[in-house]
Amino acid sequence: QVQLVEFGGGLVQPGGSLRLSCHASGRLLAFYAMGWYRQAPGTQRELVAEITSGDSINYGYNVKGRFTVSRDIAKNTLYLQMNSLKPEDTAVYYCYSQDWNTEYKSWGQGTQVTVSS
């Protein structure tokens, strides 16, 4: 029943920044985890960032130090601040949520991020 909708993708030059948003139809605190994956053409989907209950945060190796995940509980919104973007960050970015006591994930529709000059 949960719906996730991403916003904020687009074209940005190398070194630039974007802020992605993911609005959930349910309370963020109802989820065990929320976060972001990305997938570029011809590549496997990779974890970008994850935030779990208690505000534990994990980042993918390739984005650590450049990206920041956060959430606004009142707005039912998850964010991904993306700084110092590189061409290799080009991908479709997907928001997800994971329920307590299950490995099932709900996914947003994805938003395209293109880093190019």
Side-chain angles (χ1 to χ4, degrees), residues 8-75:
L11 175 65
V12 64
Q13 293 184 336
S17 298
L18 284 175
R19 189 192 194 197
L20 305 183
S21 301
C22 173
H23 184 266
S25 61
R27 295 181 299 115
L28 301 194
L29 294 178
F31 305 121
Y32 166 72
M34 294 190 71
W36 301 86
Y37 277 77
R38 69 184 183 185
Q39 187 168 24
T43 70
Q44 295 182 332
R45 183 175 296 184
E46 65 172 322
L47 176 69
V48 175
E50 181 182 60
I51 181 168
T52 62
S53 179
D55 293 332
S56 296
I57 298 174
N58 298 308
Y59 291 101
Y61 178 82
N62 292 327
V63 307
K64 187 173 296 185
R66 299 187 295 119
F67 292 7
T68 303
V69 64
S70 62
R71 62 183 180 179
D72 188 322
I73 302 300
K75 295 181 179 179

